[in-house]
Amino acid sequence: MDANSTASDGGPEATAEAARELIELLEVLWERGKDMVSPAPVSASQLRVLYCLDRDDGINLRTLGQVLGSAPPSVSRLCDRLEALGFVRRQPSQVSRRELELRLTPRGRAYLRDLRTQRQVALLEVIAAMPPSARSALLHGLSSFQDALDDAGTLPRRPVAVKDARSA
């Protein structure tokens, strides 16, 4: 990606193209981090479930389905697989006997912690090579992007904030 030619006019289309290219590169970097954490294969959909439960431990299948935009049977199958891996457990709700709560297990939390650590290391290697002014601009841009997502109501809950410097 040539940042000077792609985003130099600052138009929404050029910025969206630059962001798309960056996301594709991050996906490659993210997969590399995932491969270093666990021999257990976790799909992107399963990882989304883990992230949701990390933010909202104890939610039920219906709520998780709404957050993911997925049908209940699909969400149930995702949770079945994660439960088989030992990353998620279902337990009766304290509020309603008819509902099950989904919770991360210690193994699931450890997986996310290790994954985030590996990804943080990979990001730090790249970001450390940037000049300070570019790092500052990146942080400002990512914070503004996060705020725009929040304002648009695109995400049901704010994920780990860029300002908190925790990686996903």
Side-chain angles (χ1 to χ4, degrees):
M1 170 176 71
D2 182 1
N4 292 333
S5 65
T6 308
S8 61
D9 70 316
E13 293 83 11
T15 304
E17 182 179 343
R20 178 194 50 78
E21 290 177 11
L22 176 62
I23 289 167
E24 290 171 1
L25 291 171
L26 284 173
E27 285 176 341
V28 172
L29 192 63
W30 270 186
E31 284 302 313
R32 201 176 326 154
K34 214 164 59 169
D35 293 342
M36 297 170 76
V37 172
S38 170
V42 177
S43 70
S45 297
Q46 291 167 333
L47 193 53
R48 287 177 55 210
V49 169
L50 295 177
Y51 289 147
C52 288
L53 294 180
D54 189 44
R55 286 189 306 270
D56 294 319
D57 203 38
I59 63 175
N60 62 29
L61 280 171
R62 183 178 352 97
T63 303
L64 180 60
Q66 290 169 345
V67 170
L68 296 174
S70 298
S74 298
V75 175
S76 186
R77 282 190 302 274
L78 283 170
C79 290
D80 289 345
R81 291 184 206 118
L82 289 168
E83 198 169 25
L85 290 171
F87 290 170
V88 172
R89 77 172 181 275
R90 300 173 200 205
Q91 63 186 46
S93 170
Q94 296 177 359
V95 178
S96 169
R97 292 183 305 172
R98 300 168 120 193
E99 292 183 5
L100 292 176
E101 296 176 343
L102 301 168
R103 300 210 177 268
L104 284 178
T105 64
R107 182 175 179 192
R109 289 194 188 287
Y111 175 82
L112 283 179
R113 183 187 61 247
D114 293 346
L115 177 64
R116 286 178 170 138
T117 298
Q118 289 296 326
R119 289 177 171 178
Q120 182 86 5
V121 167
L123 283 173
L124 282 172
E125 287 177 16
V126 175
I127 292 171
M130 297 170 65
S133 60
R135 286 194 302 266
S136 178
L138 177 63
L139 180 59
H140 176 73
L142 291 173
S143 295
S144 295
F145 185 82
Q146 183 81 51
D147 291 343
L149 278 175
D150 289 345
D151 292 345
T154 305
L155 299 175
R157 291 209 40 184
R158 184 178 179 123
V160 176
V162 172
K163 295 171 191 141
D164 294 339
R166 283 182 56 196
S167 68

